[in-house]
Amino acid sequence: MRRNILNTLIIAITLWMAHCANEGEGQRQVVNAKRLALRLADGRPLSLPNYEERSPQMVQHPSGYLSLLFVSDRPCNNNLNPGCIGDFYNVFVARSLAPYHGGALPPFSEPLTVRAIGGSPGAQYSSLQLIAAHAEGENVVFYQKAGSQGAIFRRVLDPVTGQLTEYPTYSQPGPYDLLGIHEYDGNKLYLRYQNSIYYTPFSASLGDSFGDRLVYSQNRAEDIVNIAGLPLELEGGIPFFHSSDGGLVLGVNSAYSGFGHLSFMMAVLRELMLMHEIDVVKTNNPGQELLIFSGASLRQGDTSMDLYVVSSHTARELWYIGRREHYGIPFSDLPPIIVLRAFITDQSFNGTFAGASGADTHCNSDSARPAWGSFKAFLFGTGGSDTFGRPATLYNTLLQPNTLYFKADGVTPFFRTNAESKIVEIYEPDNRQVWTGLDANYNSGNRCADAYGVSWSNSYASGAYGKLQEGHFPFSANTSCNMNNRLLCVEVP
């Protein structure tokens, strides 16, 4: 049942993509799309060759585990009773084998065919029917249109067993299409009717109503394949990704400029890919999203649709990059994207560094340091001949105000600062002790000083340390300077 792509179409798309990729090459930022990020426990790709994986929907549960749903014509499994028809499209579900806390994705379980209570396929159709999903506790709720004129079903699924637990009809049969979900916009379901887009809350029953109409400047709803929401409002409207004609673009309702091209599309053009449905995954990690889409590499005649993930950029970053690169026009009014990182050293040290500059050297030579960037130790205390020391009042020369700091991978949120550059929220608590030389109010504390007042030079004195935990930073307690503690290293722009 897989859709055939004619060789002439492949050649035409490839030539067009290559032409687009070469235009303005130096002005565009590459966004990495990774197929192998979605893998099984033994390292195999989750996608199967020669079968289509379409309409991906990923959700994160309160426990941190991820559930991935997609539509595929791959063979059925999950001990289904007879009735699974070959080459038909079924919904499959896979669950991550560990909670997701940012960075690299954990491996997933073998995808299971979603099955009804009686053991038959729970969502099987002769043609591709897109799905939209959101988490409901540790279950998944997903929606699917039953054929071209069918009703939209709301189904509740246990992602561990692949078993449907609820199978109610969500709407009356009607000539409208399911487009997607926007969890950042009050948890709404999006539909298309004729040449317009409508939305309704998850909890409402559609019945014969389409909900409220979404208005945007270039209302070409007939071109839209699916919609995935973004977690921000820009230009007086609600932004969203949508897929159209084998490519992904960016739209915003009520925006003066209409659709903006997305750098994600521009970057993947370099990869000579045909792209279809996209999902923006709302994770439990503040400031981070995952983008998952269905795409064909078109290399060596490969036209099967596999699942790809982008984790290197947030939706906000992609929006700004795309706006800058739209037709090569720079948008100088947009703020630059700066990602600052921080890490705790793998090595531990006693309280003798020969000044703060010695601690900076440790930061930049530690095995936990990223491959690039300049880092300084969050360490303070001066006096005597310690000409390289940093007074406590200079803590805000190291930490930027109102900034989200990421861990060394550049994608996992670590902590956030307020307008005074003080750490006010810690997303990834860490129980390891780090030398600081500060008290609880960011004033000077004990600093392993010698008899002449030289900081971080006397192992027989005491020094202040902290922990990256709520209520423990920057000051936790004092300890002997002959004890070993780590350093908190922060990136300086």
Side-chain angles (χ1 to χ4, degrees):
M1 193 56 55
R2 185 162 44 258
R3 190 188 71 179
N4 293 322
I5 302 178
L6 298 176
N7 289 335
T8 53
L9 177 60
I10 296 174
I11 295 172
I13 291 174
T14 302
L15 291 175
W16 174 75
M17 287 179 171
H19 170 73
C20 293
N22 290 330
E23 288 186 353
E25 182 74 27
Q27 300 177 1
R28 295 171 181 171
Q29 179 173 340
V30 175
V31 178
N32 293 321
K34 299 179 180 179
R35 175 174 175 267
L36 291 179
L38 288 167
R39 65 189 190 281
L40 305 178
D42 59 6
R44 288 179 294 134
L46 186 144
S47 293
L48 288 181
N50 304 318
Y51 294 99
E52 287 193 355
E53 275 79 43
R54 298 287 298 272
S55 192
Q57 294 284 293
M58 185 183 288
V59 301
Q60 187 168 30
H61 302 281
S63 62
Y65 283 83
L66 299 169
S67 289
L68 169 67
L69 279 75
F70 59 93
V71 179
S72 179
D73 58 354
R74 61 165 63 191
C76 294
N77 55 23
N78 202 10
N79 298 319
L80 290 174
N81 291 336
C84 191
I85 304 174
D87 274 350
F88 271 50
Y89 287 93
N90 285 275
V91 176
F92 289 81
V93 60
R95 183 177 168 88
S96 67
L97 300 181
Y100 177 65
H101 299 297
L105 288 176
F108 283 79
S109 62
E110 189 81 34
L112 299 174
T113 310
V114 170
R115 58 191 177 95
I117 295 175
S120 60
Q124 177 177 261
Y125 295 102
S126 60
S127 59
L128 176 66
Q129 302 295 321
L130 304 187
I131 59 175
H134 65 92
E136 192 172 89
E138 295 303 307
N139 285 330
V140 178
V141 174
F142 75 96
Y143 307 86
Q144 186 175 31
K145 180 85 177 285
S148 61
Q149 296 295 318
I152 292 178
F153 286 89
R154 179 185 187 273
R155 292 160 168 151
V156 182
L157 170 69
D158 179 347
V160 177
T161 65
Q163 174 77 57
L164 292 175
T165 59
E166 293 183 30
Y167 202 86
T169 300
Y170 189 69
S171 71
Q172 299 298 322
Y176 44 83
D177 301 310
L178 177 65
L179 292 179
I181 273 177
H182 197 330
E183 289 190 275
Y184 296 100
D185 181 27
N187 292 343
K188 292 184 175 66
L189 189 68
Y190 280 78
L191 308 165
R192 173 175 52 216
Y193 174 65
Q194 294 180 351
N195 194 31
S196 296
I197 296 175
Y198 295 82
Y199 59 90
T200 185
F202 291 166
S203 57
S205 175
L206 292 180
D208 296 321
S209 171
F210 302 111
D212 297 318
R213 184 172 179 267
L214 179 71
V215 181
Y216 55 97
S217 61
Q218 295 184 16
N219 197 346
R220 296 171 50 198
E222 75 278 5
D223 294 336
I224 295 176
V225 177
N226 84 305
I227 283 177
L230 295 181
L232 69 162
E233 290 190 3
L234 292 174
E235 303 179 22
I238 302 169
F240 51 84
F241 292 135
H242 76 266
S243 55
S244 173
D245 299 329
L248 302 180
V249 295
L250 190 64
V252 76
N253 69 312
S254 304
Y256 173 76
S257 59
F259 292 130
H261 282 203
L262 178 63
S263 65
F264 182 56
M265 177 181 179
M266 296 179 180
V268 177
L269 289 179
R270 291 177 176 75
E271 305 298 329
L272 302 181
M273 295 187 70
L274 182 68
M275 303 168 63
H276 279 284
E277 304 84 26
I278 189 172
D279 182 33
V280 179
V281 184
K282 185 178 182 182
T283 73
N284 299 342
N285 305 304
Q288 182 185 1
E289 297 85 40
L290 295 168
L291 291 95
I292 180 171
F293 69 93
S294 178
S297 69
L298 301 184
R299 288 185 174 85
Q300 299 177 345
D302 180 12
T303 61
S304 63
M305 303 296 291
D306 296 321
L307 302 183
Y308 292 79
V309 168
V310 173
S311 59
S312 58
H313 293 70
T314 66
R316 175 183 173 85
E317 290 170 342
L318 289 174
W319 174 281
Y320 282 140
I321 295 170
R323 297 297 290 140
R324 285 195 184 95
E325 294 175 351
H326 182 45
Y327 293 127
I329 301 173
F331 286 79
S332 58
D333 58 322
L334 298 176
I337 300 166
I338 300 176
V339 176
L340 294 177
R341 298 160 295 174
F343 66 91
I344 293 176
T345 57
D346 284 335
Q347 288 185 292
S348 299
F349 314 92
N350 64 24
T352 58
F353 301 109
S357 61
D360 295 343
T361 300
H362 288 312
C363 281
N364 287 290
S365 62
D366 193 79
S367 57
R369 177 188 178 274
W372 55 274
S374 178
F375 295 84
K376 289 189 175 182
F378 193 79
L379 189 74
F380 302 89
T382 59
S385 60
D386 185 11
T387 56
F388 298 101
R390 278 190 289 268
T393 53
L394 296 183
Y395 72 89
N396 57 4
T397 64
L398 294 185
L399 291 178
Q400 302 299 306
N402 297 318
T403 298
L404 175 63
Y405 280 81
F406 293 83
K407 303 195 80 170
D409 59 14
V411 297
T412 307
F414 196 0
F415 56 80
R416 180 176 61 85
T417 61
N418 62 10
E420 298 177 336
S421 298
K422 294 181 178 179
I423 297 175
V424 292
E425 190 167 8
I426 299 170
Y427 300 115
E428 287 283 327
D430 197 308
N431 196 44
R432 295 176 294 177
Q433 296 178 181
V434 295
W435 293 114
T436 62
L438 297 178
D439 68 8
N441 299 309
Y442 285 76
N443 296 319
S444 293
N446 289 346
R447 46 190 169 81
C448 299
D450 63 13
Y452 301 98
V454 180
S455 302
W456 308 107
S457 60
N458 182 9
S459 62
Y460 296 99
S462 62
Y465 66 86
K467 295 180 181 180
L468 269 295
Q469 291 186 327
E470 297 291 347
H472 288 282
F473 198 83
F475 178 77
S476 178
N478 295 307
T479 188
S480 171
C481 294
N482 62 14
M483 300 295 292
N484 285 348
N485 286 316
R486 303 172 194 268
L487 294 169
L488 172 63
C489 305
V490 298
E491 188 171 10
V492 290

